[in-house]
Amino acid sequence: NINNENYAYLTEDCDEDKHYATAAKYLKCLIEEYCQLPFIKRTRIYKCDTYVKVKNACLDHRILKVKAMIDGRPKQLYVYPYKIMPDPLVTQEYLVCYVKSAKNEKAKHIASFSMARLQLQGSAMKRQFKLTKSDIKTIENKLVKSSPAYLLGSNEKIIVKLTEKGQKSYKTKLYSRPVREPESTDDMYVFKCSRLQAYNYFFPFGKEAEIIEPKDLRERFIKGYKDGISKYY
């Protein structure tokens, strides 16, 4: 918000008045410059406070409390941060970490959170932690096979049949695209990725993509399309 204090700074103390006639013109140019930045850079500015807290927690080995939606329900998680990493196309950044449920502090597993949507619950906890060499090696091994966006769950064989239009979409739609395995044929594409990645990527393809295997992922697609079309009847 532009309150009196902000306005006083812009009109009296801000050095930009040497280049811009009024505070309004300066703000207009500032907003235009911000809007021209790629999403990942806008996020670093807009979520600056979150970035600072996460980076400090990584350096100081301190636990973060995060609110996340799991199975449609909000849950509080204890996060043991490793590092902030971009996806392969550098379109978004993710906090790669280990997490534990607030109700079950013993079991921890690898996860990642989009920095753009990360919901921190207060400041980092005073309690420190240290990831073991084995913990770090496990994360790095998983990152070799998976994008930082899809560290939850294990990779498995997924077969998708694509129409000609679907094949063209696969070539041009790069964000979150799973890597095609050599055993794929002309229209039958084989992937080694998580079900979440396959669902997020191929669901918008509609009739241009058919999930062949695994069966329960195929059923999830069928249910998703039926639930969507039911809104129109």
Side-chain angles (χ1 to χ4, degrees):
N1 293 329
I2 304 300
N3 55 29
N4 291 339
E5 185 179 352
N6 299 146
Y7 184 76
Y9 168 77
L10 290 168
T11 54
E12 298 172 12
D13 300 325
C14 181
D15 292 335
E16 298 300 333
D17 61 359
K18 299 174 184 177
H19 311 285
Y20 300 90
T22 65
K25 287 185 178 180
Y26 169 62
L27 287 175
K28 179 176 181 292
C29 292
L30 192 68
I31 292 170
E32 287 176 349
E33 183 178 353
Y34 173 80
C35 292
Q36 289 172 356
L37 294 173
F39 178 79
I40 194 169
K41 290 187 177 181
R42 296 200 308 271
T43 303
R44 290 171 187 164
I45 295 171
Y46 184 71
K47 301 278 288 189
C48 179
D49 289 346
T50 298
Y51 269 84
V52 170
K53 289 179 181 179
V54 170
K55 287 179 179 178
N56 287 339
C58 290
L59 290 172
D60 298 336
H61 307 289
R62 296 195 181 278
I63 301 169
L64 295 165
K65 288 188 290 185
V66 169
K67 181 180 178 181
M69 294 297 293
I70 299 177
D71 298 327
R73 296 179 180 179
K75 290 188 178 180
Q76 182 172 289
L77 302 172
Y78 292 122
V79 171
Y80 299 71
Y82 175 50
K83 64 172 66 173
I84 298 172
M85 300 182 67
D87 60 27
L89 295 177
V90 196
T91 56
Q92 289 199 51
E93 286 183 310
Y94 296 84
L95 170 58
V96 177
C97 58
Y98 279 91
V99 297
K100 290 182 180 180
S101 169
K103 293 183 178 180
N104 183 5
E105 276 203 75
K106 292 185 178 179
K108 68 178 181 180
H109 57 271
I110 297 172
S112 62
F113 297 90
S114 165
M115 289 298 295
R117 297 189 297 272
L118 184 64
Q119 297 184 55
L120 296 179
Q121 302 294 292
S123 301
M125 299 174 67
K126 293 182 179 180
R127 181 162 51 121
Q128 288 184 299
F129 73 95
K130 188 170 181 63
L131 295 178
T132 65
K133 290 182 179 180
S134 176
D135 289 334
I136 294 173
K137 185 177 180 180
T138 301
I139 287 182
E140 294 292 351
N141 287 342
K142 193 156 190 178
L143 285 168
V144 171
K145 302 176 182 178
S146 303
S147 160
Y150 294 103
L151 294 181
L152 279 175
S154 57
N155 291 345
E156 56 185 292
K157 184 176 182 179
I158 293 172
I159 302 176
V160 184
K161 185 175 183 180
L162 297 176
T163 63
E164 287 188 13
K165 186 175 179 180
Q167 293 171 46
K168 290 179 180 178
S169 294
Y170 177 78
K171 291 178 181 178
T172 57
K173 186 182 176 185
L174 304 180
Y175 180 69
S176 290
R177 183 175 69 180
V179 178
R180 183 184 182 188
E181 294 292 312
E183 59 190 283
S184 303
T185 59
D186 290 342
D187 63 344
M188 206 70 73
Y189 284 42
V190 179
F191 304 97
K192 293 286 179 63
C193 66
S194 69
R195 298 187 183 195
L196 177 61
Q197 183 175 5
Y199 185 85
N200 288 349
Y201 184 79
F202 285 111
F203 192 81
F205 279 52
K207 66 179 182 179
E208 311 304 335
E210 178 187 358
I211 304 299
I212 306 300
E213 294 181 9
K215 186 177 178 181
D216 51 352
L217 180 61
R218 178 183 175 92
E219 293 299 322
R220 184 182 177 187
F221 271 70
I222 292 171
K223 183 179 184 303
Y225 290 133
K226 282 184 177 179
D227 289 346
I229 196 66
S230 69
K231 299 294 183 181
Y232 295 88
Y233 289 96

